[in-house]
Amino acid sequence: MADENQLLKKAFSGHGGFGVDEATMVAMVTKWRRQPDQKSRFRRDFSEFFTTIGSIEKCEDDYLLRLKTEFSRFKNIMVLWLMHPWERDARWMHHVMHKSYPFTVIIEIACTRSSEELLGAKRAYQALFDHSVEEDVAYHIKENYSKLLVGLVSSFRYEGSQVDNEMAKCEAKALNSAIKSAGSGKLIQNEEIVRILTTRSKRHLKAIFKHYKELHGKPIEEDLGANLCLQETVKCIDRPAKYFSEAINNAFKEGADKQSKIALTRVIISRADVDMEVIKETYHKQFGIKLEDMITKNTHGHYKDALLSLVGK
Amino acid sequence: MATLTVPVTVPSPAEDCEQLRKAFGGWGTNEALIISILAHRNASQRRLIRSTYSQIYGEELLKSLNDEISGDFERAVILWTRDPAERDAMLANEAVLRWKPGNPVLIEIACARTSSELFAVRQAYHTLFKRSLEEDVAAHTTGSFRKLLVPLVSSHRYEGPEVNMKLAKSEAKILHEKISDKAYDHEDVIRILSTRSKAQLIATLNQFNNEFGNAFNKNLKSDPKDEFLASLRAVVRCFCCPERYFAKVARVAIEGLGTDENALTRVIVTRTEVDMKLIKEAYLKRNSVPLDRAVAGDTSGDYENMLIALLGA
C-alpha cells in the first residue's frame, strides 16, 4: 500500500522536466478501479499536491500549474481521476462561467449527481472560489435559461421512495398545458415547467414522465421541441445512462469540436466508479459497437490506456 | 446572547426522564416540573433526554407531552423541545400549507439562520415530510412571492467574510434602478437578495445608503398594504438587524386586543438560544417596557410560565 503510494507520487513528480511517468499512472488507474478509499488515502498522503480546507479536499493550485504542460498531454485525465469528485464537479461548473464550457455541463452535474454529491460539490465550490455556485451562475449567466440553471443547481431533492402518484398525474397534465400554451421559444421560462423540473424529486419526475407518455401518447421530449436545455434536463433525470452514452458518442463523431472531446474525459472519469457498466450496455445497444472497441479504435497512447482502464473490461 | 439558563450541575438524562415521567404520571400533570426541566436544557441536552426517554419507556417524549398537555403551552413546549432544524422544518411546513401572502416565517428561516442551519432545515424537512422544502414552497406559493421565496429557501450562501466592494457598488446601483422603476420582483433584485453572501449583501446595502442618501428599506414603503414590499423589507431586516426585527414581531404579537400566540411562541422558542438578550434590549429600547413584563401582562398560566422561563427571567 505504502509502496504504491510512493510509486504514484514519484510518477507525479515531473521528473525534473522530463514529464510524468504515464505508464505507472495508468497501472494505478487499473489497480484502484472502483476503490475511492485508495485514492482518498493517496490524496491524504501526498500533501504537496493535495490539501484540505475544512472537510473539503482540493489540489494545490501551484502544483497544478507547474505540471500543466506535463499533464496536458494526458489531457488532464490523471489529475481529474485523482481529485475528489466534489472538487472535480466544482471545477467543471466553474469552467462553465470562466472557461466557456457549455452550460449543459451544469445541467449534467446538477441532475445526474445524488443530492448529497451535489451538496458536496457546492461546498467544494465555496471552498475553492469564495463564492457560492448559485450566486455565480445567477450573475454570469444572463440567457433565458438562467432561471432553470439556478433552480437546478440550488436543488436538494428528496431522495426517499415516497411518490404521490395523483400529484404526478396532475403535474403531467399541467406540463402538457404549459407546453401547449407557451410559445416554443418561451418554454424555458415557463414558471410551472421550471418549478416542477427544479424542485420535484427524481422518482416523482420519472413518474411524471411516465404518466405524460400514457396520458398524451408521446414522450415529453417530443413536445419539448428544439429546446436543448429542457431536453437535456429531462434526459439527465430520466435516463442518465442514455445521456452519457450519447455524450461519449458525440466525442467520436467526425468533426467533433473541442468541447465534445473534453466531454469524453469528463463522462468517463465521473462515471467510472458509479454506473459505467450500465453506460457500456446502453452504448452497445444504442450504437451497435462496444465502448471499449470504440475507444481502442479512436484514441492513442497512454490516454487510450487510461480510458480503457477506467471503463474496465 | 442566549437567555437560556441551565443549572450549574445538570442531572443526568436518565434522572431528567424519571422526573418527566413523574410529571406525567397519576392524575393531572405537573406542568411546573416539566418547565423546570425542559426550559432549562440546551439543544444537545434535550436531544439526549429524548433518546434516553424512548430507550427507557419505549415511547417518544414528544408523544407523552402531546398526550399530557395542551393548547399554547403544548405548542411552546413541543416546538422548544425539538432540535432547531426539525423545529424550523415544522414551522416552514405549517407556513407553506397555510400559505398567505405576507406570512414571514419562510423569510425568517431563510434569512435569520446561518447557511448551514438552513441546510440542516432542508435535510430535516426531507426526513419529516418526505418532500423537499423547495418543492413544497414552489407548489404552494404563487406570483412574486414564489419568485422570491423559492430561491430564498434554496439558497446555500457562501459564509466567508470576503466582500467585493466594486461588486457591492454595482449591485447597489442595480437595486436602486429596479426599485426606482418599481420593479420590485425583478430577477436582479431577487438574484442579489437570494444568492449573495451575508457579508456581501450587507456591504451592498450599506453602499446603497451611502450612494443614494437613504436606506434600502426606506424605498420600499410606498404602499403600506403591499405584502410583497413588506416581505422584501423583512428579508433585509432579518439579515441586517434580526434583533430589531424579532423585537417588532413580538411587539405586534402582544399589542392590541388579544395576543398572536403563535407568533410570540415562534419568536421566543426560536431565538432563546440565539440572540434573545439582544432582542430584549431592542424591545426595551423601542417600547420602554421589558419584554418579560409585556409577555407576563399578556399571557397566563403554564404558557406564560414557559415563555418567562425561556426569557431567562
Side-chain angles (χ1 to χ4, degrees):
Chain A
M1 213 61 49
D3 294 328
E4 284 181 352
N5 281 6
Q6 275 305 105
L7 226 66
L8 192 55
K9 254 203 241 181
K10 199 151 167 244
F12 265 93
S13 302
H15 289 306
F18 286 110
V20 294
D21 183 347
E22 296 165 349
T24 307
M25 291 182 183
V26 178
M28 280 317 158
V29 174
T30 317
K31 253 194 150 177
W32 290 356
R33 190 165 174 257
R34 290 195 165 281
Q35 294 182 62
D37 303 323
Q38 288 275 40
K39 284 195 274 177
S40 224
R41 267 189 291 253
F42 176 71
R43 282 195 296 266
R44 277 197 293 274
D45 203 29
F46 195 0
S47 54
E48 295 90 344
F49 196 178
F50 294 96
T51 178
T52 50
I53 298 184
S55 59
I56 299 293
E57 297 176 40
K58 64 166 277 208
C59 296
E60 284 288 12
D61 293 306
D62 309 323
Y63 206 99
L64 265 179
L65 269 158
R66 249 191 298 142
L67 295 178
K68 198 169 174 190
T69 27
E70 259 89 46
F71 284 127
S72 71
R73 259 187 17 238
F74 225 157
K75 295 186 192 300
N76 287 325
I77 202 173
M78 288 315 300
V79 178
L80 283 172
W81 172 73
L82 264 185
M83 257 189 215
H84 195 292
W86 295 348
E87 180 181 359
R88 274 202 300 255
D89 282 349
R91 288 189 187 271
W92 282 328
M93 289 195 285
H94 196 249
H95 288 338
V96 172
M97 284 155 300
H98 298 273
K99 270 202 189 164
S100 322
Y101 270 39
F103 66 86
T104 43
V105 170
I106 291 185
I107 298 181
E108 179 183 309
I109 293 177
C111 298
T112 62
R113 310 314 191 229
S114 73
S115 289
E116 288 299 324
E117 288 166 349
L118 180 58
L119 172 64
K122 293 199 284 191
R123 288 202 179 127
Y125 194 100
Q126 292 191 5
L128 288 164
F129 306 114
D130 290 346
H131 284 287
S132 65
V133 68
E134 296 91 331
E135 76 183 288
D136 276 357
V137 172
Y139 183 62
H140 290 280
I141 297 185
K142 295 296 188 192
E143 288 80 350
N144 61 1
Y145 47 76
S146 134
K147 285 222 187 73
L148 175 71
L149 257 49
V150 176
L152 288 177
V153 110
S154 308
S155 68
F156 181 58
R157 302 183 201 259
Y158 171 64
E159 296 207 294
S161 53
Q162 204 146 314
V163 172
D164 180 344
N165 253 302
E166 284 313 307
M167 180 59 76
K169 276 201 197 118
C170 192
E171 292 190 330
K173 290 199 187 119
L175 284 176
N176 187 249
S177 321
I179 289 175
K180 286 213 171 79
S181 67
S184 82
K186 306 262 187 57
L187 282 183
I188 191 74
Q189 291 174 304
N190 180 284
E191 285 187 2
E192 276 301 277
I193 296 180
V194 172
R195 167 182 79 79
I196 293 172
L197 289 180
T198 61
T199 62
R200 291 302 186 197
S201 76
K202 288 184 184 165
R203 277 205 172 84
H204 185 100
L205 285 167
K206 288 190 177 150
I208 291 182
F209 300 147
K210 181 168 135 273
H211 288 301
Y212 192 99
K213 190 157 176 205
E214 286 163 11
L215 289 166
H216 303 110
K218 47 189 153 115
I220 190 172
E221 290 94 311
E222 267 185 52
D223 281 345
L224 289 173
N227 200 305
L228 178 68
C229 299
L230 295 178
Q231 296 273 4
E232 302 281 78
T233 304
V234 171
K235 214 185 281 175
C236 284
I237 293 174
D238 202 26
R239 287 164 301 162
K242 180 158 189 269
Y243 169 86
F244 287 121
S245 122
E246 286 172 1
I248 292 174
N249 194 59
N250 286 340
F252 290 130
K253 281 201 181 126
E254 276 280 338
D257 64 9
K258 178 172 169 207
Q259 283 299 333
S260 306
K261 296 196 190 144
I262 289 178
L264 177 66
T265 307
R266 184 178 67 249
V267 171
I268 294 193
I269 288 194
S270 60
R271 309 313 284 181
D273 287 340
V274 183
D275 54 359
M276 188 49 76
E277 299 301 319
V278 183
I279 295 177
K280 286 199 296 194
E281 262 176 58
T282 310
Y283 190 89
H284 195 175
K285 234 197 232 156
Q286 204 171 349
F287 300 108
I289 172 176
K290 275 192 173 176
L291 178 56
E292 299 92 315
D293 296 337
M294 200 61 174
I295 292 177
T296 311
K297 243 181 24 169
N298 289 293
T299 61
H300 321 281
H302 291 289
Y303 179 57
K304 173 181 80 178
D305 297 332
L307 285 183
L308 286 174
S309 298
L310 286 166
V311 151
K313 301 298 175 283
Chain B
M1 307 311 160
T3 48
L4 179 67
T5 47
V6 175
V8 173
T9 32
V10 185
S12 72
E15 286 169 314
D16 276 341
C17 288
E18 199 186 317
Q19 289 301 307
L20 283 169
R21 195 70 170 176
K22 275 209 191 104
F24 300 146
W27 298 102
T29 312
N30 188 341
E31 289 91 353
L33 184 51
I34 295 176
I35 296 177
S36 73
I37 299 171
L38 290 175
H40 297 280
R41 302 289 183 270
N42 63 34
S44 39
Q45 290 162 340
R46 297 193 306 269
R47 208 176 303 142
L48 262 175
I49 292 175
R50 280 173 70 186
S51 58
T52 309
Y53 189 94
S54 358
Q55 266 170 40
I56 303 180
Y57 301 109
E59 184 181 70
E60 291 288 331
L61 173 61
L62 293 176
K63 172 149 194 320
S64 300
L65 286 167
N66 180 254
D67 288 340
E68 296 286 331
I69 61 182
S70 60
D72 297 313
F73 177 52
E74 177 193 339
R75 187 186 159 84
V77 172
I78 291 199
L79 279 175
W80 168 252
T81 305
R82 283 196 179 268
D83 252 7
E86 287 178 320
R87 178 194 304 151
D88 280 349
M90 296 193 67
L91 290 171
N93 182 254
E94 204 178 60
V96 157
L97 294 181
R98 286 198 228 151
W99 166 252
K100 262 199 307 224
N103 184 316
V105 175
L106 294 170
I107 294 179
E108 287 171 17
I109 292 174
C111 305
R113 315 296 190 247
T114 66
S115 209
S116 13
E117 285 168 351
L118 176 58
F119 205 84
V121 175
R122 290 167 80 183
Q123 285 172 315
Y125 201 96
H126 277 200
T127 311
L128 288 170
F129 303 108
K130 313 286 185 248
R131 281 186 305 277
S132 66
L133 173 57
E134 56 269 28
E135 80 181 280
D136 274 357
V137 173
H140 287 93
T141 59
T142 53
S144 308
F145 289 99
R146 186 203 282 184
K147 282 200 195 131
L148 175 67
L149 292 171
V150 175
L152 277 184
V153 305
S154 314
S155 67
H156 183 241
R157 299 176 203 259
Y158 175 61
E159 297 211 90
E162 293 86 343
V163 169
N164 177 334
M165 282 317 292
K166 212 166 125 212
L167 192 62
K169 286 201 176 98
S170 74
E171 296 197 325
K173 252 209 195 90
I174 294 175
L175 287 175
H176 187 253
E177 204 182 283
K178 303 304 171 200
I179 300 297
S180 306
D181 286 340
K182 298 209 191 307
Y184 303 115
D185 65 351
H186 189 274
E187 50 182 49
D188 278 325
V189 175
I190 309 267
R191 169 180 72 74
I192 293 169
L193 291 179
S194 67
T195 64
R196 291 304 182 195
S197 74
K198 184 168 164 187
Q200 183 69 30
L201 196 50
I202 291 180
T204 304
L205 293 169
N206 283 336
Q207 271 303 115
F208 188 103
N209 204 343
N210 294 346
E211 256 317 288
F212 303 108
N214 56 18
F216 181 70
N217 269 9
K218 288 260 168 2
N219 293 274
L220 297 176
K221 293 204 167 147
S222 54
D223 178 2
K225 290 218 175 65
D226 185 330
E227 297 288 5
F228 187 72
L229 291 183
S231 298
L232 288 181
R233 295 198 300 272
V235 169
V236 169
R237 297 186 79 211
C238 281
F239 269 114
C240 300
C241 49
E243 57 290 337
R244 280 190 282 146
Y245 169 84
F246 285 111
K248 181 166 182 190
V249 175
R251 168 170 69 83
V252 172
I254 292 174
E255 75 186 3
L257 296 168
T259 312
D260 181 350
E261 283 89 1
N262 282 355
L264 190 58
T265 301
R266 184 177 84 242
V267 170
I268 295 181
V269 159
T270 62
R271 308 311 283 185
T272 287
E273 282 178 296
V274 182
D275 54 2
M276 185 51 80
K277 269 213 185 92
L278 298 173
I279 296 175
K280 279 173 34 168
E281 277 168 29
Y283 189 93
L284 178 57
K285 200 163 168 201
R286 170 70 172 71
N287 303 299
S288 309
V289 169
L291 179 56
D292 316 38
R293 194 147 20 112
V295 168
D298 225 56
T299 59
S300 60
D302 305 309
Y303 178 53
E304 174 191 335
N305 295 337
M306 181 67 184
L307 295 183
I308 298 294
L310 291 177
L311 287 176

